[in-house]
């Protein structure tokens, strides 16, 4: 049973006239009769009784009418929904983003996207950067925003910008007089950072290890917002991605470039190959690239 046969049957059942039904469907009467005959053969019995003067539904035909109406309505609804999705008039996408990006730069891209595609819903999952990659890999979300990971395998990475890490410390701190802060000078004070297995913690530890600098951590936390708050309360100093600069400044901390060594990492969009993305997700990827790259 196919949709053309269902439409043909309903047209005849509603008009009780092969001539009227054929006109309605823009078919010849022989073609309409063949469609009804094929439907009856597929289902295994007569749906209509036909004489030279009249047409009547068999009991099985009567039973099929409400089913056929539901099928046709569902088909038309599905067709309409898919057309809207391909025209970006309907749909929903979910983006997994590391919290620092979600709280600072991402709203601008979402605003730009919503201005162009107001009928597409956008949901944000702000999670640690390591979890972002896993969510994309497990198809929990279509797009993820994080530092460039190692071992992407089948995933794609679209860079948005380079993030240079910065040192932050409370106001009136002895380091405030310097325009650049070396790691050696910074680590003379209590150091606050993220807990393992954070990618930020990993980047800091691997960079300092390569430079033969010992890292002693006084306090660690699960979120960068907590690290920034602890610094603002005078508990110590920290090194964070520069994407946290606005938040750190709003919390009253001082920001300076950190050198010897520097830490920088690309931030970008992680996703399945573009050909596997929905139309809505592909459009969001373009907006992100055009907004930040």
């Amino acid at each position: 049973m196919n949709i053309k046969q269902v439409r043909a049957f309903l047209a005849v059942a509603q008009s009780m006239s092969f001539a009227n039904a054929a006109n309605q469907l823009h078919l010849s009467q022989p073609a309409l009769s063949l469609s009804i005959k094929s439907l009856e053969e597929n289902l295994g019995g007569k749906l209509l009784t036909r004489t030279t003067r009249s047409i009547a539904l068999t009991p099985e035909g009567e039973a099929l009418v409400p089913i056929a109406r539901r099928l046709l309505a569902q088909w038309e609804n599905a067709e309409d929904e898919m057309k809207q999705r391909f025209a970006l008039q309907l749909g929903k996408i979910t983006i997994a983003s590391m919290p620092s990006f979600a709280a600072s730069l991402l709203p601008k891209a979402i605003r730009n996207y919503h201005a162009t595609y107001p009928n597409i819903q956008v949901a944000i999952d702000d999670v640690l950067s390591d979890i972002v990659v896993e969510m994309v890999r497990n198809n929990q979300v279509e797009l993820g925003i994080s530092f460039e990971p190692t071992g992407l395998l089948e995933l794609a990475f679209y860079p948005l910008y380079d993030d240079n890490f910065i040192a932050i410390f409370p106001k009136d701190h002895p380091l405030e007089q310097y325009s650049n802060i070396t790691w050696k000078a910074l680590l003379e004070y209590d150091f606050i950072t993220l807990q393992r297995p954070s990618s930020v913690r990993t980047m800091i530890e691997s960079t300092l290890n390569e430079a033969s600098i010992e890292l002693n951590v006084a306090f660690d936390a699960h979120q960068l917002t907590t690290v920034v708050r602890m610094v603002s309360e005078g508990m110590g100093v920290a090194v964070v991605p520069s994407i946290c600069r606005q938040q750190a400044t709003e919390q009253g901390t001082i920001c300076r470039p950190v050198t010897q060594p520097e830490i920088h990492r690309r931030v970008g969009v992680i996703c399945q190959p573009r050909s596997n993305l929905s139309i809505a997700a592909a459009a969001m990827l373009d907006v992100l690239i055009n907004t930040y790259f």
Side-chain angles (χ1 to χ4, degrees):
M1 184 166 65
N2 60 51
I3 196 64
K4 290 183 178 179
Q5 293 171 340
V6 171
R7 282 199 175 103
F9 169 73
L10 276 180
V12 175
Q14 289 167 354
S15 66
M16 284 301 174
S17 166
F18 270 79
N20 292 341
N23 288 333
Q24 177 186 333
L25 298 173
H26 306 291
L27 293 174
S28 66
Q29 288 194 47
L32 178 59
S33 296
L34 182 60
S35 183
I36 297 297
K37 182 180 179 181
S38 297
L39 177 60
E40 291 175 330
E41 289 175 350
N42 289 337
L43 295 180
K46 289 289 185 181
L47 300 171
L48 298 162
T49 58
R50 184 178 183 185
T51 68
T52 55
R53 294 183 175 228
S54 65
I55 297 172
L57 291 167
T58 65
E60 291 76 18
E62 293 278 6
L64 181 58
V65 169
I67 298 172
R69 283 176 176 153
R70 288 199 303 272
L71 287 172
L72 186 59
Q74 289 172 350
W75 178 272
E76 290 174 345
N77 288 340
E79 187 176 35
D80 183 59
E81 178 177 329
M82 293 312 300
K83 285 180 178 178
Q84 289 187 61
R85 286 182 181 275
F86 281 116
L88 290 170
Q89 295 299 314
L90 181 70
K92 178 180 180 179
I93 59 171
T94 302
I95 303 172
S97 171
M98 52 186 183
S100 52
F101 190 93
S104 55
L105 299 181
L106 186 54
K108 179 181 179 181
I110 294 176
R111 184 186 64 213
N112 293 344
Y113 185 82
H114 183 70
T116 307
Y117 311 111
N119 296 320
I120 305 295
Q121 297 179 33
V122 180
I124 308 299
D125 284 339
D126 48 344
V127 296
L128 295 179
S129 56
D130 307 282
I131 298 176
V132 169
V133 180
E134 291 307 310
M135 292 182 73
V136 174
R137 181 167 282 125
N138 296 333
N139 292 314
Q140 294 173 264
V141 298
E142 289 193 87
L143 302 176
I145 300 172
S146 180
F147 294 109
E148 183 176 14
T150 57
L152 276 171
L153 299 177
E154 74 285 359
L155 300 180
F157 179 79
Y158 294 87
L160 299 179
Y161 67 95
D162 287 331
D163 191 298
N164 296 307
F165 282 36
I166 57 174
I168 61 171
F169 42 86
K171 283 184 177 180
D172 301 322
H173 193 277
L175 293 174
E176 190 170 353
Q177 61 183 305
Y178 302 107
S179 58
N180 292 280
I181 312 298
T182 65
W183 273 99
K184 182 178 179 181
L186 191 69
L187 293 178
E188 292 180 4
Y189 303 91
D190 286 340
F191 191 75
I192 307 169
T193 189
L194 289 177
Q195 297 172 352
R196 296 189 183 98
S198 155
S199 60
V200 170
R201 175 76 172 260
T202 300
M203 281 185 274
I204 290 174
E205 289 179 336
S206 62
T207 301
L208 295 185
N209 184 57
E210 291 174 3
S212 299
I213 297 176
E214 183 179 0
L215 176 65
N216 294 311
V217 176
F219 308 101
D220 58 18
H222 188 62
Q223 297 282 357
L224 281 169
T225 53
T226 307
V227 170
V228 173
R229 186 63 183 174
M230 293 170 76
V231 171
S232 72
E233 291 294 329
M235 296 176 61
V237 299
V239 168
V240 298
S242 61
I243 195 175
C244 298
R245 183 187 299 274
Q246 180 181 345
Q247 177 191 350
T249 302
E250 291 172 351
Q251 292 281 348
T253 68
I254 305 301
C255 304
R256 293 286 190 272
V258 61
T259 62
Q260 301 180 33
E262 297 180 349
I263 301 178
H264 54 85
R265 190 80 170 269
R266 292 199 299 179
V267 173
V269 182
I270 303 163
C271 59
Q272 300 290 344
R274 190 184 183 98
S275 60
N276 294 348
L277 296 178
S278 67
I279 299 294
M284 174 59 85
L285 175 60
D286 290 337
V287 169
L288 286 165
I289 293 172
N290 292 334
T291 302
Y292 302 115
F293 188 66

